[in-house]
Amino acid sequence: QVQLVESGGGLVQAGGSLRLSCAASGRTRSYAAMGWFRQAPGKEREFVASINWIGSSTSYTDSVKGRFTISRDNGKNTLYLQMNSLKPEDSADYYCAAARIAGVTDTPTMYAYWGQGTQVTVSS
């Protein structure tokens, strides 16, 4: 089993920044891709960003390109999401996930483990 714990969420004004972290423990595999998803109230969970096992390849949903940066530190078993120029529409619960594969993927079913989420609220 792998446990994922997100942190770093909170309330921020539009235009501000937040850095989310996701600490992995248990039977972690450094060769697994990782990802961030988010879910706003009344909406389906959506893909935000993914990073491959070594951190050399990333993928983002169009709405966050140029504003969000995903990164990972395999030595610390930690995944990050730097979020800049935040907008009210970025408000959601953010979840990190560990994939079954090494390459980037935006498909939820390719992720085997999920965290409990951290809430991000962006005020206008």
Side-chain angles (χ1 to χ4, degrees):
Q1 279 290 68
V2 174
Q3 292 77 44
L4 302 174
V5 179
E6 302 94 338
S7 62
L11 173 65
V12 64
Q13 288 188 332
S17 299
L18 283 174
R19 188 194 195 200
L20 304 184
S21 298
C22 173
S25 61
R27 300 182 66 178
T28 58
R29 301 182 307 162
S30 61
Y31 54 86
M34 300 286 292
W36 288 98
F37 290 76
R38 65 186 180 186
Q39 187 169 19
K43 295 186 177 182
E44 294 187 354
R45 188 172 297 189
E46 66 168 346
F47 168 76
V48 176
S50 178
I51 187 167
N52 70 342
W53 73 279
I54 200 172
S56 61
S57 178
T58 59
S59 176
Y60 298 91
T61 191
D62 286 345
S63 63
V64 307
K65 285 181 181 177
R67 300 188 298 122
F68 290 12
T69 302
I70 188 172
S71 62
R72 65 190 296 168
D73 184 335
N74 287 344
K76 295 181 179 179
N77 287 332
T78 303
L79 176 72
Y80 303 100
L81 185 68
Q82 178 66 43
M83 306 186 295
N84 299 329
S85 302
L86 282 162
K87 304 175 181 180
E89 51 263 43
D90 294 318
S91 297
D93 291 327
Y94 282 71
Y95 300 86
C96 73
R100 309 175 194 275
I101 60 175
V104 296
T105 176
D106 61 0
T107 306
T109 55
M110 296 305 294
Y111 290 84
Y113 300 100
W114 295 81
Q116 293 299 307
T118 185
Q119 188 175 56
V120 172
T121 303
V122 184
S123 63
S124 57

